[in-house]
Amino acid sequence: MASETLYIAAPYKHSRALSKASGVEVWMKLENCQPSGSFKTRGISHMCVKHKNSPRFVCSSGGNAGLAAAYSGKQLGVPVTIFVPLTTTQLVIDKLKDEGADVVRGGAAWDECNQNALKFVEETGSVYIPPFEHPYIWEGNSSIIAELDSKPDLVICSVGGGGLMCGIVEGLVKRKWDDVPVLAVETHGSNSLYQAVQAGKQVTLPAITSIAITLGAKTIGKQAFELTKSHPIIPCLVSDEDVVKTISQFLDDEKILVEPACAASIAVLYNGKLKELASSNPKLGNVKKVVLVVCGGSGVTIEMLKNWKQMFNIK
């Protein structure tokens, strides 16, 4: 019988290379070590366990949430159908099928894909497992903060739909660390949180144009946007070029290969963005200890990195 907790307490280690590059002490929460390859295992599996007597799980995902749902369903003995956007790589589709999931190409981007998944749920009586927008998802993701040994001055994470960020904030609030800011990093071309904060309301991007396709929610989740009004959240953008440089440098430094969505949050430590923000934002003025959530992700290979480096003329 499957354990009631399907995620692991991820390794937590100091990074000498990132500390040297950024000028602050950087501690990495290595969510890439989760069974499905990313932090998504936490929230998704937590919700799946809550619905373990369901006839079927249905999830819409560019990859990592789907992999977490497929893994969780397999552990719990529940069949799973994953609706994936057309941008999803064959690599991820094969991994989903290896976990026993049925895979449906559901739309050009995640938002359209999600609508088709919801229609399928209604028609079949299955249980919908959202990739980021549900209290169970945030509760599961909050366990990242519950595992920390001491209070950080800053938490850095990547943002797609916002489920990781929501969980981090929930975890900080639970530990009464409400004053700890969160640096919420997106790429240009997948910046729905940044655009929403600028506009003062949720906005829908016309398209996802970044290589960080697993950040590809054209509209930020409602809860994530609302949290920007009550918690010190600092939206931040990095370029695809910096992301590719980061994947390569992080592989050299830490011997860990991450996908672009994950590399976005790491990039701010390599490219000087954190130092730049600290000089102008009082919330970051006294930052000495940083927790970096290395969120993981399975949509990357050495060959893909090689192609991205050629795309941006990076040696």
Side-chain angles (χ1 to χ4, degrees):
M1 184 177 173
S3 165
E4 288 298 292
T5 301
L6 302 180
Y7 60 84
I8 66 166
Y12 183 55
K13 70 184 287 276
H14 183 260
S15 172
R16 184 177 290 109
L18 288 174
S19 298
K20 184 178 179 181
S22 64
V24 295
E25 292 304 310
V26 179
W27 289 79
M28 303 181 297
K29 195 66 168 146
L30 296 175
E31 295 300 309
N32 57 298
C33 295
Q34 291 294 345
S36 72
S38 81
F39 80 94
K40 293 281 190 182
T41 311
R42 291 182 185 266
I44 298 281
S45 71
H46 183 63
M47 184 166 183
C48 287
V49 167
K50 298 279 189 185
H51 295 283
K52 62 185 178 182
N53 295 321
S54 304
R56 177 175 291 272
F57 296 142
V58 175
C59 184
S60 54
S61 166
N64 294 313
L67 286 165
Y71 160 77
S72 301
K74 190 172 187 178
Q75 296 300 307
L76 295 166
V78 178
V80 179
T81 298
I82 309 297
F83 282 72
V84 300
L86 297 178
T87 52
T88 305
T89 62
Q90 192 61 45
L91 172 73
V92 170
I93 289 171
D94 289 344
K95 287 186 177 186
L96 288 167
K97 289 179 177 177
D98 286 345
E99 284 285 6
D102 296 326
V103 179
V104 179
R105 290 187 179 271
W110 174 81
D111 306 69
E112 182 186 346
C113 199
N114 191 51
Q115 289 305 311
N116 287 324
L118 289 170
K119 184 191 289 187
F120 180 81
V121 166
E122 196 174 316
E123 291 169 353
T124 62
S126 304
V127 170
Y128 175 62
I129 305 294
F132 54 82
E133 191 74 348
H134 195 281
Y136 286 156
I137 304 290
W138 312 326
E139 185 177 50
N141 292 339
S142 74
S143 60
I144 292 172
I145 302 300
E147 292 167 10
L148 300 184
D149 60 356
S150 61
K151 182 180 180 180
D153 300 316
L154 173 69
V155 178
I156 303 177
C157 70
S158 297
V159 177
L164 174 58
M165 187 186 82
C166 290
I168 286 169
V169 172
E170 182 172 320
L172 291 170
V173 170
K174 282 177 181 174
R175 295 196 68 171
K176 302 192 176 358
W177 295 346
D178 313 51
D179 57 332
V180 175
V182 176
L183 188 61
V185 189
E186 301 169 292
T187 56
H188 293 281
S190 65
N191 55 350
S192 58
L193 175 67
Y194 185 89
Q195 295 280 7
V197 170
Q198 293 293 308
K201 61 181 182 180
Q202 284 175 285
V203 297
T204 299
L205 304 177
I208 300 300
T209 58
S210 169
I211 63 168
I213 57 174
T214 53
L215 295 183
K218 290 196 290 185
T219 309
I220 190 67
K222 184 174 187 299
Q223 174 71 359
F225 175 64
E226 291 301 322
L227 285 175
T228 63
K229 302 172 187 176
S230 60
H231 192 88
I233 291 169
I234 303 159
C236 173
L237 300 179
V238 295
S239 68
D240 277 358
E241 183 177 351
D242 277 351
V243 159
V244 176
K245 289 177 180 175
T246 293
I247 297 170
S248 185
Q249 189 64 53
F250 193 65
L251 179 58
D252 282 347
D253 288 343
E254 300 294 343
K255 315 307 174 200
I256 298 170
L257 180 63
V258 296
E259 66 176 45
C262 177
S265 57
I266 307 170
V268 300
L269 298 167
Y270 281 129
N271 68 3
K273 190 74 176 180
L274 179 60
K275 291 177 183 175
E276 177 191 318
L277 288 169
S279 67
S280 60
N281 192 317
K283 293 173 187 172
L284 300 175
N286 296 311
V287 170
K288 294 182 177 65
K289 178 185 177 182
V290 169
V291 168
L292 169 69
V293 180
V294 180
C295 55
S298 297
V300 63
T301 63
I302 291 291
E303 188 63 27
M304 291 166 77
L305 173 57
K306 181 181 171 184
N307 291 339
W308 290 326
K309 288 174 80 168
Q310 288 176 346
M311 185 189 303
F312 294 101
N313 198 25
I314 298 168
K315 301 299 182 187

